[in-house]
Amino acid sequence: MMRGMSETPPLTSIADETAYAEAVQLAVDASAAYYGDGTSTLDDDAYDRLVRGIEAYEAGHPDQVLPSSPTGKVAGGAVVGDVPHTVPMLSLDNVFGPDQLAAWAASLERRLDHPVTAWSVEAKLDGLAVSARYRRGRLVQLVTRGDGQAGEDVSHSIGTIVGLPERLAEPVTVELRGEVMMTTAQFADACAKRQAHDGTTFANPRSAAAGTLRTRDRPYVCELTFFGYGALPLPPGDDSPLAGRLRELPHSQIMEWVAGQGVQTTAVTPVAGVLVADLEAVRARVEEIAAARAGLDFGIDGIVIKCDLAADQAAAGFSSRAPRWAVAYKLPATEKITKLLAVEWNTGRTGIIAPRAVLEPVELDGSVVTYATLHNAADIARRGLMLGDSVTVYKAGDVIPRVEAPVVHLRTGDERPIDIPRVCPSCGDAIDATQERWRCVRGRACRAIASIEYAVGRDQLDIEGLAVNRIQQMLDAGLIADFADLFYLTRDQLLALDRMGETSTDNLLAALERAKAQPLSRVFCALGVRGTGRSMSRRIAAHFGTMDAIRAADAAAIQQVEGIGPEKAPVVVAELVELDALIDKLIKAGVNMTQPGVVRPPADEAADEAAGEAGGEAGEPLGLPLAGMSVVVTGTMTGPLAALSRNEVNELVERAGGKASSGVSAKTSLVVAGDKAGSKRTKAESLGVRVATPEEFAGLVAAFL
Ligand code: IVH
């Protein structure tokens, strides 16, 4: 996650005066589009590189600097709006890693001539800055940042912005500043509305928010979200007691007051601003916010670090562009523009036919992205995507990269329509297109080989000696149609297969016998229920305890499992209905359908709730060595754990009462760090989370190995 954060991204190199003039024009156009209707001709990273290239050229050729150059100007000099700001709305200087942050803090402390002992660390919200003017508690005017000196009046948007109330709790006169943005849900809603209206979508939440905030008289209304990050006296010279308090109070206390007025701040999110005393703690919070980023339902593009005390802020002052008492710690881009080269269609093991975008490789959040999800055919049509399009691609943390939208104004006319398959790309049979997610009419049977291969895999039933070609042989011979049939194979049937001797037959039969005793978590996982993988299967098994209880659960009951939301729950229920006959066949074959260690299925609601209040799920094995602990396993395991797969170590964690998790945060209790543990180990150390070697950990859970 933090890879690349310590480096400044490379800059665009500019060879001569002509290239310089072109670069300036490109930046001016991009900035006008960005601050204008929110569209983007360049992604953030490309813009940053370009401006730094321009800066570097200007440093070497000060006589050639063009007046239109974006360097040193707020909003790159894009002038929008005619409402003067009471106090300029400035930018922030950027740092790109811990070393640059330390250098910035050191220079600030030299300027102040004392160490800063109170830092506010906040998410840098990826939206548009606005100023909200309240008179006697009523929201009377809303203004965009514009060029920082004057902005555009967007008061027509008042009433459509969640978190920015039309009335404050008290009848005060004050100017609030903050960011207007769209949450993921608001963005989806806005895209659907625009789609229905004119057949197009927005490129990303930021441009959707910009367009929405500035457009008057749209025939449809899209909701926005506000998060406040500052409050100022109104007018600036006001001498009321409130104005005095806003000048004297620390930033953190002002933000508490803002929240108390009924205005939304990040305090209600997982990335609440925190107050810390030293740079070490600043860094830890930076890491936490960066780690939380992928799970947020709104965009952040960095972390803002501010001096909390009013006296420090006043002493540090401002440059023409930015305050000296605050800095933006930029996070790697999660969205970039690249080219859509091709679309591949594949049938998965559950029979779902899904398109995949092949992209011109692009670096996003620390990894190179070449493929991205395109969801389904309807989605391609909705977004009006074409081959050869420039597209915005999003990826953060562990999420699967996805194509967000075409950048329509970058079209050249050479784009071609995307071919949509008429038959299943795997078997050539018909497509069931009644749902948005297309499926081969043969369902799971279409890719039986893939679902059986998955079911017998090491982390599911772990049936040794069943290679793909052997499974294919059995399918071809008509001996099996699904993985439950494996348990009905007779010795004679197996011996009759080519290249199957007595020893292999007996070994396979023994492996099948052992597989029948696998815990429910693995049996459930083997089913390959859509939307559930290994860790979700473990959670489901731990929650319900028996297959009977899982099958009896309706969508509401399934949703009680952590990580299953209202969208996934009905899919799981429907999948279980579809898998009914397969599950019955497994039961009849004597396959285990219970989860060891789960003492009680959650049939009794009251008992369930009591367990919940005690901090445990149904049957959480309290009193075990890892009870209540969140454990992250990383690196190559050694010693007694050397032979275990990552899933097996996670299972061990859960048998011993812990919760296996993949990301390190301040809430992590223990990190088991093997060889080449890398960034998770570093992060654990910086957060002060306990780190154990595989050997130490094996000692702790020896009874469960
Ligand atoms: S404080 C004098 N706090 O970032 C400027 N800004 O790149 C002080 N932003 O224009 C701004 N989240 O629109 C501040 N928590 C936060 C922020 C934040 C996002 C935006 C703001 C500003 C831009 C500067």
Side-chain angles (χ1 to χ4, degrees), residues 497-518:
L497 292 171
D498 264 359
R499 305 180 308 279
M500 193 76 182
E502 299 234 345
T503 317
S504 337
T505 298
D506 290 338
N507 285 347
L508 179 56
L509 287 170
L512 282 163
E513 215 39 52
R514 281 196 302 276
K516 287 186 190 169
Q518 290 287 11

Side-chain angles (χ1 to χ4, degrees), residues 90-92 122-125 129 145 179 229 304 306 323:
L90 298 181
S91 249
L92 288 169
E122 306 167 12
K124 184 169 187 301
L125 305 154
R145 182 167 78 153
E179 207 80 350
Y229 54 65
V304 184
K306 305 175 181 172

Side-chain angles (χ1 to χ4, degrees), residues 4-44:
M5 278 182 49
S6 53
E7 310 153 20
T8 308
L11 45 79
T12 306
S13 85
I14 296 173
D16 55 27
E17 196 168 355
T18 315
Y20 166 72
E22 279 171 11
V24 167
Q25 193 54 48
L26 193 61
V28 168
D29 290 348
S31 171
Y34 187 80
Y35 289 99
D37 59 6
T39 58
S40 34
T41 47
L42 290 175
D43 55 49
D44 288 0

Side-chain angles (χ1 to χ4, degrees), residues 444-659:
R444 286 185 155 76
C446 172
R447 303 280 332 277
I449 179 83
S451 40
I452 299 173
E453 193 189 354
Y454 177 76
V456 305
R458 178 171 184 188
D459 290 327
Q460 287 70 249
L461 296 178
D462 193 19
I463 303 172
E464 267 176 68
L466 253 190
V468 190
N469 49 3
R470 186 66 78 193
I471 300 171
Q472 189 63 57
Q473 195 187 17
M474 293 174 178
L475 281 166
D476 294 344
L479 291 181
I480 58 169
D482 57 39
F483 78 88
D485 291 336
L486 291 169
F487 295 103
Y488 293 86
L489 291 170
T490 64
R491 194 160 190 276
D492 289 346
Q493 283 174 327
L494 289 173
L495 281 172
L497 292 171
D498 264 359
R499 305 180 308 279
M500 193 76 182
E502 299 234 345
T503 317
S504 337
T505 298
D506 290 338
N507 285 347
L508 179 56
L509 287 170
L512 282 163
E513 215 39 52
R514 281 196 302 276
K516 287 186 190 169
Q518 290 287 11
L520 175 63
S521 54
R522 281 169 167 254
V523 175
F524 184 87
C525 191
L527 295 174
V529 172
R530 267 190 272 153
T532 67
R534 287 172 298 220
S535 63
M536 181 63 78
S537 297
R538 288 200 305 272
R539 258 178 273 154
I540 291 173
H543 183 88
F544 290 103
T546 67
M547 184 67 91
D548 281 350
I550 300 177
R551 291 170 104 182
D554 58 9
I558 293 271
Q559 240 176 277
Q560 300 300 309
V561 179
E562 189 195 330
I564 301 192
E567 270 179 37
K568 198 175 270 188
V571 176
V572 174
V573 173
E575 283 274 282
L576 286 166
V577 171
E578 186 180 307
L579 290 161
D580 229 24
L582 179 73
I583 299 172
D584 283 343
K585 226 192 303 181
L586 290 169
I587 294 173
K588 218 166 128 221
V591 174
N592 168 56
M593 293 288 159
T594 59
Q595 186 67 4
V598 179
V599 271
R600 160 186 72 76
D604 179 347
E605 297 266 345
D608 221 356
E609 271 179 37
E613 274 157 29
E617 207 166 58
E620 181 181 293
L622 294 167
L624 296 176
L626 304 180
M629 288 171 72
S630 166
V631 181
V632 174
V633 181
T634 180
T636 312
M637 292 297 106
T638 48
L641 305 185
L644 303 188
S645 71
R646 179 53 38 83
N647 182 60
E648 286 167 337
V649 183
N650 285 337
E651 286 177 332
L652 176 60
V653 166
E654 289 178 6
R655 276 204 300 284
K659 183 167 166 273

Side-chain angles (χ1 to χ4, degrees), residues 348-400:
R349 71 183 138 73
T350 61
I352 295 283
I353 300 166
R356 178 166 86 149
V358 184
L359 305 168
E360 208 166 84
V362 60
E363 191 180 334
L364 269 181
D365 200 16
S367 60
V368 176
V369 174
T370 330
Y371 297 104
T373 306
L374 273 175
H375 305 292
N376 51 56
D379 196 58
I380 292 178
R382 248 197 316 267
R383 292 170 199 268
L385 276 174
M386 299 183 80
L387 291 181
D389 257 337
S390 296
V391 291
T392 45
V393 179
Y394 175 86
K395 177 192 175 285
D398 296 333
V399 308
I400 299 166

Side-chain angles (χ1 to χ4, degrees), residues 304-458:
V304 184
I305 297 135
K306 305 175 181 172
C307 289
D308 194 51
L309 298 181
D312 284 352
Q313 292 191 3
F318 298 85
S319 74
S320 66
R321 201 187 84 98
R324 292 204 181 86
W325 43 263
V327 80
Y329 187 115
K330 294 288 271 192
L331 290 174
T334 50
E335 188 183 277
K336 276 195 187 160
I337 297 174
T338 188
K339 277 257 163 26
L340 176 63
L341 302 178
V343 174
E344 292 175 352
W345 296 82
N346 298 302
T347 310
R349 71 183 138 73
T350 61
I352 295 283
I353 300 166
R356 178 166 86 149
V358 184
L359 305 168
E360 208 166 84
V362 60
E363 191 180 334
L364 269 181
D365 200 16
S367 60
V368 176
V369 174
T370 330
Y371 297 104
T373 306
L374 273 175
H375 305 292
N376 51 56
D379 196 58
I380 292 178
R382 248 197 316 267
R383 292 170 199 268
L385 276 174
M386 299 183 80
L387 291 181
D389 257 337
S390 296
V391 291
T392 45
V393 179
Y394 175 86
K395 177 192 175 285
D398 296 333
V399 308
I400 299 166
R402 63 170 189 263
V403 170
E404 204 103 84
V407 187
V408 179
H409 57 273
L410 291 183
R411 283 199 171 142
T412 61
D414 292 336
E415 296 74 19
R416 285 158 295 123
I418 294 171
D419 280 336
I420 307 287
R422 282 177 231 279
V423 293
C424 169
S426 172
C427 71
D429 211 329
I431 295 176
D432 172 2
T434 53
Q435 309 278 315
E436 276 224 341
R437 306 205 72 192
W438 287 2
R439 208 169 175 205
C440 173
V441 287
R442 298 190 193 186
R444 286 185 155 76
C446 172
R447 303 280 332 277
I449 179 83
S451 40
I452 299 173
E453 193 189 354
Y454 177 76
V456 305
R458 178 171 184 188

